[in-house]
Amino acid sequence: MAHVVLFHSILGLRPVEGEIAAVFEADGHTVTLPDLFDGQSADNYDAAFALRKEVGTDAIMERARAAVEAAPPEAVLSGVSFGASLIGEFWADRPQMAGALLFAGITDWMDSPTPGLPVSVHIARPDPFDDEDYFADWVAQKGEADLQMHRYDGAGHYFLDPSLDDYNEAAAKLCLDRSREFLRGL
């Protein structure tokens, strides 16, 4: 079974991340949910960006780094949107990681993506924060990574969170089913 480090979205650690973790834990995986905003969260994206600024990059990265360092070297790095972008800070230093699982966002590839590294990505189409050229360029840079790029037509950005207008029940179910299958295959 996998150990998953799941970084929350820009909205902070909210019930939805616990719900995602519970789905994975029911399958026998271990999930670490670092609270990068130290107990604070926001209900909308404008407030979330202000919160991120208030908490500060140094504190966020210190908490993220501590969570990654406490996890086994083969842990799967995962994140939602802003949380997915953080993975790029760590994966080059984790050659034994079993895979990466990104929701509602992507991250910078390492200079030379690990050949065969399983990467599963789940993005709305269209995504309100990034255009299609951005995603196409990212896919073109994957090198020899084993990329599974899943797109969800008509879903909102963070379509997994039932408390947001972004929520799309069918996309959320399909995304979690695909994610569970991805983790089983590692």
Side-chain angles (χ1 to χ4, degrees):
M1 298 281 97
H3 185 121
V4 180
V5 178
L6 175 60
F7 295 122
H8 59 71
S9 78
I10 194 79
L11 297 167
L13 186 58
R14 297 159 42 96
V16 66
E17 284 87 12
E19 293 162 8
I20 294 168
V23 168
F24 297 158
E25 288 168 340
D27 286 344
H29 305 292
T30 301
V31 181
T32 299
L33 282 173
D35 185 349
L36 305 177
F37 293 172
D38 195 27
Q40 300 180 78
S41 64
D43 293 327
N44 63 65
Y45 293 116
D46 289 338
F49 284 104
L51 176 59
R52 176 183 177 221
K53 185 176 181 180
E54 175 188 322
V55 172
T57 300
D58 290 344
I60 292 167
M61 292 311 298
E62 181 180 317
R63 293 175 185 131
R65 191 171 292 105
V68 170
E69 288 175 356
E74 67 277 2
V76 173
L77 298 185
S78 182
V80 180
S81 191
F82 161 75
S85 72
L86 296 178
I87 294 169
E89 298 292 325
F90 304 109
W91 63 357
D93 298 327
R94 298 187 64 84
Q96 294 176 296
M97 70 183 276
L101 181 56
L102 288 67
F103 302 106
I106 56 179
T107 189
D108 293 335
W109 286 107
M110 55 191 103
D111 286 338
S112 180
T114 303
L117 176 68
V119 179
S120 182
V121 181
H122 304 267
I123 306 284
R125 182 177 26 224
D127 184 86
F129 292 105
D130 297 299
D131 65 28
E132 290 303 309
D133 289 341
Y134 176 72
F135 294 115
D137 290 346
W138 188 79
V139 169
Q141 297 171 25
K142 75 176 185 70
E144 294 182 42
D146 182 12
L147 176 62
Q148 299 173 11
M149 184 72 160
H150 303 285
R151 302 302 302 271
Y152 299 84
D153 293 327
H157 176 69
Y158 192 1
F159 58 85
L160 292 160
D161 190 338
S163 73
L164 299 174
D165 290 341
D166 292 349
Y167 181 64
N168 182 299
E169 184 177 6
K173 181 183 182 324
L174 180 57
C175 174
L176 288 175
D177 288 347
R178 287 172 167 167
S179 299
R180 293 173 67 210
E181 183 179 334
F182 174 77
L183 291 174
R184 274 194 302 271
L186 299 180

